[in-house]
């Protein structure tokens, strides 16, 4: 059996302010194999998004660590973490996170250009066609619908063929029908590319489409 692509090792996260210490995550421990799909579920405020941020190396645990493709994220500095994310990780957010000053195509080209790819326009154009937006290449995010913006975000996430895709409530800003379309596209792309998918969601129907469900209750993994 190959080594896990993601290994979350006894992660704790606490924050302290004038009112005392709040434990957000308590001894979170699991691993995911390459190509596995996992939904992180739980009530609002249970720590799901904090856990996703720590898996990405965007937030740091109070104790414990995360290994991504064998690299301990918190044994390297932030620049090295950013470089590792650029090579290995794609992101999809509830709020799309598109750059308003760039066209849809330019948003998708951006991670390729940052990686030094000379064929960024060609590859991004092909990915825009894959998500059904060939006629929207030159449009800016503000004139795209929510579903179109999320499809651009999917194209941007998958265009670099990441080993891991992290998605935080990707349909939270969309109506049901649009959300269904976007989720089908995400699972199709994930299967085509063999990506490991980690999805934070409160939607049970979406969670059941993943091979694995990790339920967080009061900062812990529920049995």
């Amino acid at each position: 059996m190959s080594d896990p692509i993601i290994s979350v090792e006894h992660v704790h996260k606490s924050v302290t302010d004038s009112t005392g210490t709040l434990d957000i995550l308590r001894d979170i421990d699991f691993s995911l194999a390459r190509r596995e799909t996992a939904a992180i579920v739980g009530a609002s405020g249970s720590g799901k998004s904090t856990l996703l941020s720590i898996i990405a190396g965007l937030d740091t645990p109070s104790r414990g660590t995360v290994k991504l493709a064998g690299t301990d994220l918190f044994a390297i500095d932030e620049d090295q973490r950013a470089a590792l994310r650029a090579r290995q990780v794609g992101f999809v957010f509830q709020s799309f996170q598109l750059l308003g000053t760039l066209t849809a195509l330019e948003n998708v080209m951006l991670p390729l250009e940052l990686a030094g790819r000379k064929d960024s326009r060609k590859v991004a154009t092909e990915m825009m066609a894959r998500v059904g937006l060939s006629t929207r290449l030159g449009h800016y995010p503000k004139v795209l619908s929510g579903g179109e913006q999320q499809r651009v975000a999917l194209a941007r996430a998958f265009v670099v063929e990441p080993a891991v895709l992290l998605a935080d409530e990707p349909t939270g800003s969309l109506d049901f029908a649009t959300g269904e379309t976007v989720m089908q596209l995400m699972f199709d792309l994930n299967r085509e590319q063999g990506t490991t998918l980690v999805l934070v969601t409160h939607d049970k129907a979406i969670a059941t489409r993943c091979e694995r469900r990790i339920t967080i209750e009061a900062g812990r993994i529920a049995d």
Side-chain angles (χ1 to χ4, degrees):
M1 183 177 175
S2 62
D3 292 334
I5 183 70
I6 296 170
S7 182
V8 179
E9 302 178 357
H10 301 290
V11 162
H12 295 251
K13 178 68 176 181
S14 303
V15 294
T16 302
D17 61 17
S18 59
T19 63
T21 299
L22 174 65
D23 294 321
I24 300 172
L25 296 172
R26 311 177 191 207
D27 199 28
I28 303 295
D29 194 83
F30 65 91
S31 60
L32 296 174
R34 291 181 184 275
R35 306 177 75 93
E36 194 167 7
T37 59
I40 299 174
V41 298
S44 179
S46 60
K48 304 185 301 296
S49 293
T50 298
L51 176 57
L52 198 72
S53 292
I54 290 173
I55 292 172
L58 295 169
D59 195 359
T60 56
S62 303
R63 281 185 286 148
T65 197
V66 174
K67 290 179 181 174
L68 177 62
T71 298
D72 185 336
L73 289 180
F74 304 107
I76 58 178
D77 64 29
E78 177 49 42
D79 287 344
Q80 292 170 314
R81 283 197 292 274
L84 182 62
R85 279 194 296 271
R87 294 193 307 271
Q88 300 277 4
V89 183
F91 294 94
V92 179
F93 302 95
Q94 178 177 339
S95 56
F96 317 133
Q97 299 284 343
L98 300 178
L99 295 177
T101 57
L102 299 182
T103 65
L105 179 62
E106 289 166 345
N107 267 280
V108 178
M109 288 171 60
L110 185 60
L112 294 167
E113 292 179 328
L114 292 173
R117 292 278 295 267
K118 303 298 185 186
D119 58 349
S120 59
R121 181 171 293 274
K122 175 179 179 291
V123 174
T125 300
E126 290 170 351
M127 182 55 78
M128 285 286 284
R130 174 64 188 83
V131 301
L133 292 175
S134 289
T135 62
R136 309 293 264 168
L137 301 181
H139 291 71
Y140 289 90
K142 66 181 179 182
V143 299
L144 300 177
S145 69
E148 288 171 333
Q149 289 187 63
Q150 196 60 299
R151 281 191 278 159
V152 174
L154 283 177
R156 181 183 60 186
F158 279 106
V159 76
V160 294
E161 299 188 4
V164 173
L165 182 77
L166 304 178
D168 193 357
E169 299 282 10
T171 62
S173 298
L174 306 175
D175 64 72
F176 177 79
T178 304
E180 284 285 294
T181 301
V182 166
M183 287 308 304
Q184 185 60 54
L185 180 60
M186 187 170 78
F187 280 106
D188 287 347
L189 287 166
N190 190 72
R191 185 174 57 255
E192 289 167 19
Q193 294 194 0
T195 307
T196 300
L197 172 65
V198 186
L199 170 70
V200 165
T201 184
H202 66 276
D203 188 321
K204 292 181 179 178
I206 292 173
T208 58
R209 297 180 66 171
C210 294
E211 297 163 320
R212 193 162 161 200
R213 282 166 295 288
I214 299 166
T215 302
I216 307 295
E217 290 181 1
R220 297 183 186 274
I221 293 180
D223 293 332

